[in-house]
DNA sequence: AATGAATGAGTGTTCATTCAT
DNA sequence: TATGAATGAACACTCATTCAT
């Protein structure tokens, strides 16, 4: 029996499986929480027996770590490579970027916030460091903008947390196809964020998007 | 025949145990998540054998339900009975109340947000209804304030979610004894919230507390 | 508050409860088997908390023992005091008595056969002795009838077991209100039993009842 | 590459274990009753940890179902493939077959009668249907024999139950090595059954065996 | 790279029973 | 005589993980 035509390149089957493990785990962890998901469930989703998962990840914890680490790296990379109109204010850039990215990758974001406590200390430290790097971006935008008089924030670190908490909450209620489009949400939140850090009253209504 | 104070009233021992079960479960659920906490751990905290828990709660799920239901009821009652200076703006009332209550009851708040998905559907519905009642308080403050021209919010429901997400995030980073007191935090957040929904520039810096 | 009028005579409440425990246990043991019935279920049927059962029976095993011992004693007493027409053949007496008694007390009979193995050795011995006494009645009827030439059985002990097994099986399929009345069943079985032990052909059709 | 005999084929170890689970469960269920047997006991008999049982049977109930289903199927197959002397009367065939089979497979027979009530409804229905098929064999022998004037039974269904109850009771008292051989028992019961359904007097003493 | 079978620890829950009240 | 609360052991079953094949 010939199987050449349908057989994938050497090694590719394993990578393919690993990818499907990641996807299945991501959905399950986001839906039920890390502790409530069993390796058996992930294996069943992937279409493989539980033992086979261990060819791809040494432990369940490593799947979580992989998902969270990858997510944080992707997030930072996405920020670094994001393209915006030249003229766009840095705060607007951040807000629009954050909302878009978090709506696109809702599951990854969700587990990155919810499953922190299920990370072993070492992994937790790594993720926390990444998160701090990400938050530092906004903090420095607020700091520099304040220094330049464009914004007025008393404590950029606190403001960072406030803004990120506000924006990160969006995927918990936003549903595609509702009466607000993603664009509307971006604009509404951008307006609130701008006003919250404003140094003076302007017309905060957003025109672009 | 007189029963002197030292003898505990019938049933009082059980109520005491139930209370300690609630407390232990609250701490554990908040710390590790509902799914990761075992009845054995709770029993050990309480100083009782696992089977004894079932004299007080029919299932583990019922402990969670009890904690969340009680929390939401207490939150709404606290709002209804909260006392503020006559002159205080409703939004300020809400912000200060919310921050104070959520810092005081950090564990209850935390599990009420984190463990929703571990509630069985019926219980979930009950809790969600309570949450909507609470959010409606802020929505109506924003709605009425907007109508009166005191605030300017395009979408009071979205603003409600934004503000509540922002405020509710506080206990995730705030630690007593840090360089900011609870009062400072209240003031910082109040300023941001006021500005976020402001219709015109005023002096947003808070003086009172 | 006066409770005299409704209070039953001293001791009678306990006896009443004990009786209800017996009845509840009988039904439950017959329906689900001794091992599958919990003291909690019995207590619930009686309308009392589990602990209260122990005021009436020292252990679950003792309830079973009580039911089985009482049943066997009642069975033997019933035989001893049963009244039949003078002219009735002893075998007919036994068959009719056995069927009637076993249809009347189906639950007791059932557990006495099914739950023997759940009796502790001492209790088992007592019950077994009673059963042997009961079977000896039929054996001696067959033995004497054979000696007198009225029946022809090669081995009265084996025949006893065969007949008793046959008769005792009735309650497993007989249902009141079916197309056969209790009387019909008696007659049908009596005919088969008579023929099975017959020494010659006669008209075995039963006329009386 | 040749795989020599000593290496067990893939999966054969599991089938072996499953078989031993069946055997252990059979003995235990027959001895103590389904409800009184724990998975731990079965596992210990098999020489395996409790969890390993679940690689072979999804639940304890499934072990019981497997045993009972297999037994009924085997019983019917055995009847269908049994070989008897050409001249042997159908009733004799049935009686001899039933006694032999039930003495050989005493445990299976015992649990098939005792544990019916521990079957979940669906499984119960399946087993009951098989039992009815088996009883129908005897009913039709009696029916046809009556029509042909060889036997005289008033109600073949009732007679079926009577005879089967009588025969099925044998393993409860018969012990190998007692003063009666299996052959003697067959003959004694055959005589009684023949007489019980006889239409006229013949020499019922069995000569063959 | 995957399977089938196993392990050893653990899960939530139930059990018969005890006992102070 | 009954209750409410507890115990200690057990229950059926699931878990993450291992490993020979």
């Amino acid at each position: 029996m010939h199987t050449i035509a349908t057989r994938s390149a050497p090694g590719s089957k394993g990578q393919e499986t690993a990818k499907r493990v990641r996807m299945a785990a991501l959905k399950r962890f986001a839906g039920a929480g890390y502790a409530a998901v069993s390796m058996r469930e992930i294996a069943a989703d992937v279409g493989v027996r539980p033992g086979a998962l261990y060819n791809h990840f040494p432990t369940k914890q490593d799947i979580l770590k992989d998902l969270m680490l990858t997510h944080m790296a992707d997030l930072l990379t996405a920020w670094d490579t994001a393209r915006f109109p030249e003229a766009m204010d840095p705060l607007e850039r951040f807000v629009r970027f954050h909302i878009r990215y978090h709506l696109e990758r809702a599951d990854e974001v969700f587990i990155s916030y919810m499953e922190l406590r299920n990370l072993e200390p070492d992994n937790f430290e790594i993720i926390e460091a990444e998160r701090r790097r990400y938050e530092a971006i906004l903090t420095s935008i607020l700091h520099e903008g304040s220094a330049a008089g464009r914004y007025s924030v008393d404590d950029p670190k606190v403001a960072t947390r406030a803004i990120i908490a506000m924006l990160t909450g969006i995927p918990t209620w936003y549903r595609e196809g509702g009466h607000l489009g993603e664009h509307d949400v971006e604009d509404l939140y951008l307006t609130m964020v701008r006003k919250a850090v404003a140094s003076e009253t302007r017309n905060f209504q957003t025109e672009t998007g």
Side-chain angles (χ1 to χ4, degrees), chain A:
Chain A
M1 188 178 73
H2 293 271
T3 51
I4 296 178
T6 58
R7 176 125 59 79
S8 32
S12 78
K13 192 163 156 218
Q15 310 237 137
E16 172 64 18
T17 302
K19 198 169 107 192
R20 292 171 59 199
V21 171
R22 256 180 233 105
M23 284 170 52
L26 176 61
K27 284 286 168 220
R28 290 265 181 190
F29 290 168
Y34 175 76
V37 172
S38 74
M39 292 296 267
R40 278 162 171 79
E41 289 167 327
I42 297 170
D45 290 350
V46 172
V48 112
R49 306 282 162 175
L53 300 178
Y54 292 83
N55 290 322
H56 306 282
F57 296 89
T59 68
K60 183 183 167 189
Q61 171 75 203
D62 284 282
I63 304 180
L64 180 61
K65 170 177 121 187
D66 179 284
L67 289 173
M68 293 179 71
L69 238 47
T70 304
H71 167 62
M72 290 312 293
D74 287 356
L75 173 65
L76 285 160
T77 302
W79 170 256
D80 287 340
T81 62
R83 290 282 150 261
F84 303 99
E86 283 286 332
M88 191 184 279
D89 175 71
L91 182 59
E92 178 170 352
R93 291 180 182 211
F94 187 89
V95 170
R96 293 199 185 275
F97 168 81
H98 187 98
I99 294 176
R100 279 175 205 171
Y101 196 89
H102 281 61
L103 284 180
E104 252 168 43
R105 311 281 274 269
D107 287 339
E108 285 90 339
V109 169
F110 191 63
I111 73 168
S112 284
Y113 277 83
M114 296 286 274
E115 305 301 350
L116 274 172
R117 62 182 168 195
N118 286 309
L119 279 179
E120 283 160 11
D122 287 1
N123 298 334
F124 177 83
E125 276 317 316
I126 297 171
I127 300 289
E128 266 300 286
E130 298 279 70
R131 179 191 319 293
R132 281 191 297 268
R133 274 189 59 206
Y134 182 68
E135 295 191 357
I137 295 165
L138 178 55
T139 306
S140 107
I141 289 172
L142 294 174
H143 188 76
E144 285 161 26
S146 280
R150 269 175 296 133
Y151 323 133
S152 164
V153 281
D154 290 332
D155 186 323
K157 282 197 174 173
V158 169
T160 294
R161 281 161 179 146
I163 292 169
I164 285 187
M166 185 196 286
L167 300 180
T168 304
I170 296 174
T172 65
W173 60 265
Y174 177 79
R175 291 296 166 264
E176 270 184 66
H179 77 286
L180 288 176
E182 198 213 290
H183 236 77
D184 305 319
V185 174
E186 270 184 41
D187 292 349
L188 282 167
Y189 272 77
L190 183 56
T191 300
M192 285 187 283
V193 169
R194 276 175 160 167
K195 286 165 73 176
V197 303
S199 51
E200 55 179 302
T201 302
R202 292 201 229 117
N203 175 14
F204 291 110
Q205 301 311 315
T206 305
E207 286 130 47
T208 93

